[in-house]
Amino acid sequence: MSFFLLRRTGGLVLTLLAISIVVFAVMNVLPGDPALTILGIDATDDARAALRVQLGLDDPAPVRYVQWIAGIARGDFGTSYSFGVPVAGLIAERLPLTLSLALSGTLLTLVIALAAGLYSASRHGRTGDWAVMILSQLGIAIPAFWLAILLVLLFAVNLRWFPPGGFPGWSDPLGSLRSLVLPTIALAAVQGAVLARVTRSSALEVMRLDFVRTARATGLSPARVLWRHVLPNALVPVITIVGMQFAGVVTGTIVIENVFYLPGLGRLIFQSIANRDIITVQALVLMVAAVVVLANFAVDVAYALIDPRLKARLA
Amino acid sequence: MRRFPVNLVLGAALAGSVTLVALLSFIWTPYDHAAIAVTNKFASPSFAHWLGTDQLGRDVVSQLMVAARNSMIVAFVSVVLGGGIGIVLGVYASARGGWVENLIMRVSDLSLAFPALLFAIMLAAVFGPSLQNTVIAIAFINIPIFARISRGAANQVWTREFMLAGQAAGMGRMTLTFDHVMPNIAAAIIVQATIEFAVALLAEAALSYLGLGAQPPAPSWGRMLSDAQTLLYLAPQLAIYPGLCIVISVLGFGLLGDSIRDLSDPRLRRER
Amino acid sequence: MLDVSNLSVRFGDAYALRDASLTVHPGDRIGVVGESGSGKSMLAQALMGMVPESASMSGILKIDGTEMTRATEAQWRALRARRVAMIFQEPLAALNPLRRVGTTVMEPLRTHLGLSRTQARARTLDLFEEVGLPDPEQRLAAYPHELSGGQRQRVLIALALACDPKLLIADEPTTALDAEVAQRITDLLVRLSRDRAMALMIISHDLQVVARATRQLLVMYGGDIVERGETRKILSAPFHPYTRGLLAARPRPQLARPVPGTKRPRLPTIPGHIPALVDLPAGCRFSGRCPAELSRCRTTRSTEFRTGTGLAACHLLNPAERSKS
């Protein structure tokens, strides 16, 4: 187990470094002058040169890269060009919202996928199965942001059950929860549709295995066989896809935050793009990519925890 | 045992009609899609304007048609571009083997961690949002996908006997790649391209919704939706049509790709 | 406790089991032999109420006096494990790989018998002891992949015994095991049947296992029971041409005798191959492969006649036929 973890952690660090190089290269080596974008074309050459020195842009790119990474290692992501405050602070302020949305979205995705997928598998070839499959095919084709708009139209504009967007702040817990309901549904419905198919086919495969027959021969109820015996064994491929989909959940969160005007990292990215705040965008992009990579890492470790056979092999 | 291929027929019908409408928009739209008529804004559907007009009195049907064309061009160019680079990388990796193959595959695994949206965000931050950046971003995510699939398919071809025979006859690996590998992996690639085309349509819609894609006045379904979102209380119907267009085209090409894959080779089904 | 008459399982027009009749009393030990496709596994599934959904059952199947042919799934569930239990061929595949075997065995104890966790644990330990698992305490926490093949089969037997069934059906219980372990498992099944006065039905293509463990024997072919009687007697003096072929085909050919009325030499294998269910002849299922076939065999099915050793369904035994020839 420890060797496995060690090797995977090594790979993780290398991957993160590689990603940071790519991000830095795209944002800094490509032509473009942050001083020009910040000050505008009316500024004098002197003013721009002064700003470049102030931002540390006169150093060669490799030096700036090392400084950037060293700063991140200390928790210093640099100072935002447009807000004039540390980027780390900006992130810390908005992270809880994005994290809650991503987590609640993933949770609801799993609930939808497992319930629909298992139901569909247990009704294999019958009407219920068909209905779920048609719904999920539709769900895969629906853009999350359009579903979000439809939800706003129905539940906010017409029924007025939930706010159409915005966030009251965590000091109002009930209001915060209410404003996260529609974004969570929009995020989870589409991801859940994809995952429901995976769950169904995985469960169908498990249901053909001998131990399911043993469980039936033991007189266990179909529900018990399904949830206690089929589900755990069907989970491994499902978790793989959850890991692969996590990139989708994260970008989905960025999109959904913009649909609902939620002040999270996704909004921050777009504000920073509008402000040409390269250092902030750079930090955020790196963070999001890192989250995706970390999620895949977590999935690998989760396998070993679920499957005792794997655990034995890794020991 | 073979049932009527519902998915294939439905997918072909949907994808075909979207393509026809997009092509039609080159020669005919009911109105000039950009013609503004402020006196006739938010018109209800009528014989003159089948789906009504928007906040500037522009004809919705005309805009949807031109947007279909734009989306499909973006999706097509980016899949061809990214797919082309990916196929070259994948086939080359398979032909060379060894550390070259390893390196190419490692890098492509790495870039899978990079969603199209992030790439588009970076490009937009450096160069400002534009249609080209959308194309580049979507093309970029297609590179590793096609590199993987063409390498996998090519590796299978390399194990076949006629390949050994060819090598024994002194043919170069590149010649063999062009003469034998490419024709044999074409089917798998076409199937994947159809599916990725659907994914690209979806990505284009999301990027243009976020304002990273096509800039005004070029119409796009995504931007029509973000405009309509600000007018939900005034004209909720405007938020329906572009979304339906996206669903129909994504569903059409997705179903088409999936069902061709299932028909041509059931074994491929489990690979994604 | 089990009373079966004219039980059939059909897929459309194809019979997987045709008019099977048998009675099982407590403590009986019955062997069922036949090649794959003979219907022996379908008989076992029918007795568990676990025939595939696409199949239809007809006839009479009484378990403890209750007619079960048209029983619902819920009614069957009440009988499984408590009246009739079953163990399977491939003990590794038959155990949930993600569960500790203790949990697996405790599950029916808790859900069916309503035992508490500690009670179920104590009971499981007793069962493990009874089936001869070494170090029962440690085995509770083991995963299936950590056990040997014989130990896994013992776990499955313990699971089957959990709710004190009256009949234990063992479907090829030793096929996946090596010879020595197979013998010990066979002996264990016999001992359990004696100790618990529990009926035992062993389905096997391995005649040695059946000879060692059972007192009565059913020989099946193409969905029919073709011969039945005392195991020892049938194995030493088979009557039905199929039984003879089956015995001749096994590694100890000296037990088989040439079929009377034919000039063929002893059969090292049965000629022809087992037909698919839909291609079976309407009369005797064995006609077409039978070395002693009569003209009516193909179209008419024989009733069961007394042989020296039991009963066999074969026209050769019909006194009317005998007088003709």
Side-chain angles (χ1 to χ4, degrees), chain C residues 11-289:
Chain C
F11 295 91
D13 288 335
Y15 281 85
L17 184 68
R18 183 167 71 162
D19 292 334
S21 300
L22 72 145
T23 318
V24 179
H25 303 285
D28 280 358
R29 297 202 306 278
I30 304 171
V32 183
V33 295
E35 293 158 287
S36 45
S38 63
K40 56 191 199 304
S41 286
M42 192 50 74
L43 174 64
Q45 287 173 35
L47 298 184
M48 291 292 289
M50 283 171 66
V51 297
E53 270 179 49
S54 51
S56 61
M57 251 209 282
S58 61
I60 293 172
L61 165 52
K62 277 188 184 164
I63 298 177
D64 277 344
T66 316
E67 160 48 42
M68 295 299 290
T69 318
R70 271 165 196 67
T72 62
E73 174 69 18
Q75 287 170 303
W76 271 112
R77 222 161 44 232
L79 291 192
R80 286 180 203 143
R82 279 173 264 207
R83 289 288 178 277
V84 192
M86 189 161 175
I87 59 174
F88 300 97
Q89 180 169 358
E90 190 61 64
L92 180 59
L95 285 165
N96 188 333
L98 304 187
R99 292 191 140 199
R100 299 175 193 280
V101 296
T103 318
T104 300
V105 178
M106 281 161 67
E107 190 174 24
L109 292 169
R110 302 196 62 196
T111 56
H112 295 339
L113 307 182
L115 299 189
S116 72
R117 174 168 280 280
T118 26
Q119 287 170 320
R121 200 185 126 87
R123 185 87 186 82
T124 304
L125 281 177
D126 290 347
L127 285 165
F128 278 7
E129 203 125 354
E130 190 180 353
V131 299
L133 268 173
D135 298 325
E137 285 273 1
Q138 285 185 355
R139 295 292 170 267
L140 279 180
Y143 286 99
H145 71 272
E146 296 167 345
L147 300 178
S148 71
Q151 289 172 340
R152 287 173 200 143
Q153 195 59 287
R154 284 173 202 269
V155 169
L156 278 170
I157 295 172
L159 173 66
L161 295 180
C163 300
D164 290 314
K166 301 274 180 58
L167 168 64
L168 176 64
I169 303 173
D171 189 358
E172 305 276 6
T174 58
T175 311
L177 306 173
D178 62 49
E180 199 200 345
V181 181
Q183 251 179 32
R184 275 195 256 132
I185 294 288
T186 311
D187 293 345
L188 170 67
L189 289 172
V190 173
R191 199 192 80 216
L192 291 169
S193 161
R194 283 211 188 101
D195 293 354
R196 293 170 161 253
M198 171 184 73
L200 175 68
M201 180 182 275
I202 295 185
I203 293 166
S204 185
H205 64 267
D206 183 346
L207 297 173
Q208 276 187 339
V209 168
V210 170
R212 193 177 175 93
T214 65
R215 280 196 301 217
Q216 291 142 280
L217 189 65
L218 303 176
V219 182
M220 295 193 66
Y221 181 83
D224 288 357
I225 297 175
V226 295
E227 186 163 4
R228 69 175 84 214
E230 276 185 52
T231 307
R232 209 159 18 102
K233 288 185 182 167
I234 290 187
L235 289 184
S236 57
F239 178 80
H240 196 282
Y242 172 70
T243 316
R244 288 164 180 265
L246 190 68
L247 290 177
R250 72 169 165 157
R252 287 160 59 197
Q254 70 272 15
L255 282 179
R257 305 217 164 80
V259 177
T262 63
K263 295 185 182 72
R264 277 168 182 267
R266 207 161 49 207
L267 304 166
T269 55
I270 304 176
H273 53 88
I274 308 164
L277 278 186
V278 284
D279 299 332
L280 285 171
C284 175
R285 300 303 200 194
F286 195 51
S287 57
R289 294 179 78 193

Side-chain angles (χ1 to χ4, degrees), chain B:
Chain B
M1 213 32 215
R2 190 164 262 193
R3 291 178 305 115
F4 179 71
V6 186
N7 285 0
L8 180 70
V9 171
L10 187 64
L14 294 179
S17 31
V18 174
T19 312
L20 276 181
V21 169
L23 289 176
L24 181 64
S25 76
F26 278 109
I27 50 173
W28 178 81
T29 53
Y31 294 85
D32 176 0
H33 69 88
I36 293 172
V38 187
T39 48
N40 192 26
K41 63 180 180 182
F42 299 129
S44 317
S46 66
F47 190 72
H49 296 279
W50 298 338
L51 294 178
T53 59
D54 71 358
Q55 69 278 12
L56 297 175
R58 293 174 293 192
D59 181 52
V60 171
V61 170
S62 306
Q63 288 196 69
L64 289 174
M65 286 174 70
V66 177
R69 177 218 294 170
N70 290 349
S71 295
M72 290 187 67
I73 292 175
V74 169
F76 184 78
V77 173
S78 49
V79 170
V80 168
L81 202 67
I85 300 175
I87 293 165
V88 169
L89 285 174
V91 169
Y92 181 70
S94 169
R96 281 292 301 267
W99 67 270
V100 176
E101 183 175 14
N102 260 329
L103 181 73
I104 291 178
M105 286 304 120
R106 276 292 157 85
V107 171
S108 82
D109 279 353
L110 194 73
S111 46
L112 282 176
F114 242 86
L117 179 60
L118 278 193
F119 205 73
I121 284 172
M122 287 200 294
L123 293 178
V126 179
F127 298 109
S130 71
L131 198 62
Q132 291 93 298
N133 289 344
T134 309
V135 173
I136 294 174
I138 300 176
F140 176 79
I141 49 155
N142 273 296
I143 295 176
I145 295 172
F146 279 89
R148 267 174 166 228
I149 197 142
S150 51
R151 172 202 166 239
N155 275 352
Q156 275 182 2
V157 179
W158 277 106
T159 61
R160 306 256 283 272
E161 272 165 30
F162 60 79
M163 296 301 278
L164 286 174
Q167 280 174 288
M171 291 166 78
R173 296 188 78 94
M174 288 301 133
T175 318
L176 281 169
T177 296
F178 277 105
D179 289 356
H180 297 292
V181 175
M182 296 306 272
N184 275 298
I185 67 174
I189 284 173
I190 289 170
V191 167
Q192 192 67 28
T194 314
I195 294 167
E196 294 307 326
F197 187 80
V199 177
L201 286 173
L202 209 49
E204 190 274 336
L207 291 177
S208 60
Y209 169 81
L210 291 169
L212 297 178
Q215 298 301 304
S220 78
W221 292 332
R223 232 201 33 262
M224 289 173 78
L225 279 176
S226 73
D227 288 347
Q229 200 192 343
T230 60
L231 304 163
L232 277 185
Y233 289 89
L234 278 172
Q237 76 277 6
L238 292 181
I240 305 291
Y241 312 130
L244 276 180
C245 290
I246 300 172
V247 171
I248 289 173
S249 47
V250 173
L251 191 65
F253 285 97
L255 280 178
L256 189 62
D258 278 348
S259 45
I260 297 176
R261 176 175 53 188
D262 294 351
L263 285 181
S264 64
D265 186 358
R267 277 170 302 148
L268 281 174
R269 189 181 199 146
R270 309 207 42 212
E271 294 224 343
R272 248 178 82 190

